[in-house]
């Protein structure tokens, strides 16, 4: 097999809450020529930066060093006026001139944006919402990331800190949010992958004589993928936990639909592995709670780039930063 390596690549890096994914991307054909991962859960800021540099160098070496630029998607709020990554909810990053530091260490132009902003850019340019000028995206993983494309542009807000859709409040007296978020009752607090596991734990404690209960009895750890797998198998506790998370997600989507009237709402992140088990209850709640005609116009769909949307979007932003402005 002949592996075709493009003349020039951009490297996209998606820094998630637990792992880093980097790829050498051909921005014209949207093909990924080399992928590499690093575990970053629980490591220090210095180790995180080292892991990012190391992953970029591996991807660059794999395509013979023919790299034009590097894009990073990081789960952080930004002050674009000062070029500072200000605060991450679920990673050890704070008040960091991330683009300057990386550009100096890599010797290449660097673009940085919020990871979900990168993901929505990929989906709106070339993925599940291709060609649509008005798109909202939620990535349901450790937390809930949010991104908006409005009028064909990536919406970053006045200072670059938008669009943290996961921190909209959907339960005014709800549970405390995660990490550095001071709020409570955020969509992230009740409908993230973390919330899915918590929901399943609460329910299985009351109904231990179920497939999920027996797996836990055998010592298997309770994780989002296990809950999803058992929900597909028809386990009542797991299926209910996924449905409840889908319904809560539907409340958040109803808010987005009322406010922005998007053509497409894209759902990504690890929890979208549940597919229609998550999306069908979300759409039902959207129909019950949002306003016409926006609720009847919108499509609520799964990401088409899957776990790679942030990485591909970061690469697209690095290849042509002006297209998003
Ligand atoms: Zn929050």
């Amino acid at each position: 097999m002949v592996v075709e390596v493009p003349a020039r690549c951009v490297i996209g890096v998606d820094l998630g809450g637990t792992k880093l994914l980097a790829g050498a991307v051909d921005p014209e054909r949207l093909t990924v020529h080399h992928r590499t991962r690093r575990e970053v859960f629980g490591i220090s800021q210095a180790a995180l930066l080292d892991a990012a540099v190391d992953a970029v160098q591996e991807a660059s070496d794999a395509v013979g060093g023919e790299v034009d630029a590097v894009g990073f998607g990081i789960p952080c709020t930004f002050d674009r006026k000062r070029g500072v990554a200000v605060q991450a909810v679920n990673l050890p990053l704070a008040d960091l001139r991330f683009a300057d530091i990386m550009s100096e260490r890599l010797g290449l132009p660097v673009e940085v944006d919020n990871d979900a902003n990168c993901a929505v850019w990929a989906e709106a340019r070339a993925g599940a919402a291709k060609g649509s000028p008005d798109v909202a995206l939620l990535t349901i993983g450790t937390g809930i990331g949010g991104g908006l494309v409005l009028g064909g542009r990536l919406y970053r807000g006045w200072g670059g800190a938008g669009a943290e859709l996961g921190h909209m409040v959907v339960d005014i007296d709800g549970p405390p949010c995660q990490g550095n978020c001071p709020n409570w009752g955020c969509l992230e607090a009740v409908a993230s992958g973390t919330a899915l596991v918590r929901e399943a734990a609460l329910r299985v404690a009351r109904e231990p004589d179920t497939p999920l209960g027996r797996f836990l009895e055998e010592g298997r750890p309770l994780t989002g993928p296990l809950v999803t797998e058992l929900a597909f198998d028809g386990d009542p506790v797991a299926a209910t936990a996924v449905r409840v998370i889908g319904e809560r997600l539907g409340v958040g989507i109803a808010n987005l639909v009322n406010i922005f009237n998007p053509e497409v709402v894209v759902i990504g992140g690890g929890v979208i592995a549940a597919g229609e088990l998550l999306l069908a209850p979300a759409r039902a709640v959207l129909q019950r709670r949002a306003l016409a005609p926006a609720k009847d116009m919108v499509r609520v769909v799964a990401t088409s780039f899957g776990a790679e949307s942030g990485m591909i979007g970061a690469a697209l932003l690095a290849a042509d930063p002006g297209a998003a402005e």
Side-chain angles (χ1 to χ4, degrees), residues 19 42 44 54 69 73 81 148 196 199 270 292:
K19 59 189 175 302
S44 68
D54 186 58
K81 296 180 192 302
L148 289 171
L196 172 65
E199 194 64 33

Side-chain angles (χ1 to χ4, degrees), residues 7 29 51 64 67 72 123 143 165 167 189-190 199 203-204 217-218 223 230 243 251 253-254 256-258 297 314:
R29 299 196 187 96
V67 171
F72 287 90
E123 297 294 340
L165 307 178
H167 297 280
V190 299
E199 194 64 33
R203 288 170 185 276
V204 79
E217 187 76 33
E218 290 165 13
T223 62
L230 290 179
R243 177 176 54 75
V251 175
I253 295 170
L256 297 177
V257 167
N258 283 343
M297 297 171 165

Side-chain angles (χ1 to χ4, degrees), residues 32-315:
V32 182
H33 292 275
H34 183 80
R35 295 170 173 83
T36 182
R37 285 168 166 267
R38 300 288 185 279
E39 296 297 320
V40 297
F41 185 71
I43 69 177
S44 68
Q45 179 170 291
L48 189 62
L49 297 180
D50 288 344
V53 168
D54 186 58
V56 169
Q57 273 164 353
E58 183 191 317
S60 174
D61 290 346
V63 292
E66 299 289 305
V67 171
D68 282 337
V70 184
F72 287 90
I74 57 182
C76 224
T77 52
F78 282 87
D79 181 342
R80 287 183 79 84
K81 296 180 192 302
R82 292 191 299 132
V84 173
V86 177
Q87 190 179 56
V89 172
N90 297 307
L91 271 180
L93 289 174
D95 293 317
L96 196 63
R97 303 186 69 81
F98 190 90
D100 289 350
I101 290 168
M102 280 298 159
S103 185
E104 192 166 301
R105 288 186 65 172
L106 297 167
L108 286 165
V110 166
E111 271 296 309
V112 186
D113 210 326
N114 175 272
D115 57 344
N117 287 6
C118 294
V120 74
W121 189 240
E123 297 294 340
R125 295 286 284 192
K130 185 176 180 179
S132 174
D134 295 289
V135 183
L137 169 136
L138 294 168
T139 54
I140 323 289
T142 316
I144 295 187
L148 289 171
V149 169
L150 300 176
R153 295 174 173 176
L154 184 58
Y155 181 82
R156 295 176 167 122
W158 183 72
E164 292 289 347
L165 307 178
H167 297 280
M168 72 170 114
V169 173
V170 293
D171 182 355
I172 200 165
D173 295 316
C177 196
Q178 310 189 137
N180 292 318
C181 178
N183 210 342
W184 55 95
C186 297
L187 187 63
E188 170 163 323
V190 299
S192 63
T194 313
L196 172 65
V197 169
R198 192 173 60 229
E199 194 64 33
L202 287 171
R203 288 170 185 276
V204 79
R206 292 197 297 265
E207 295 180 63
D209 190 20
T210 50
L212 180 59
R214 289 189 282 277
F215 270 117
L216 300 183
E217 187 76 33
E218 290 165 13
R220 263 182 86 170
L222 182 52
T223 62
L226 177 64
V227 175
T228 302
E229 179 193 323
L230 290 179
F232 277 117
D233 291 345
D235 173 70
V237 168
T240 304
V242 172
R243 177 176 54 75
V244 166
I245 295 299
E247 288 170 350
R248 293 174 184 170
L249 189 59
V251 175
I253 295 170
N255 290 338
L256 297 177
V257 167
N258 283 343
I259 298 168
F260 297 108
N261 182 202
E263 182 182 3
V264 189
V265 174
V266 183
I267 307 297
V271 177
I272 195 58
E276 286 301 306
L277 295 183
L278 187 78
L279 293 181
R283 290 193 199 100
V285 167
L286 168 68
Q287 277 303 315
R288 283 206 303 278
R289 298 182 76 131
L291 296 168
K295 68 174 180 177
D296 302 313
M297 297 171 165
V298 68
R299 287 189 292 126
V300 179
V301 298
T303 161
S304 62
F305 291 119
E308 298 197 329
S309 57
M311 182 260 277
I312 289 171

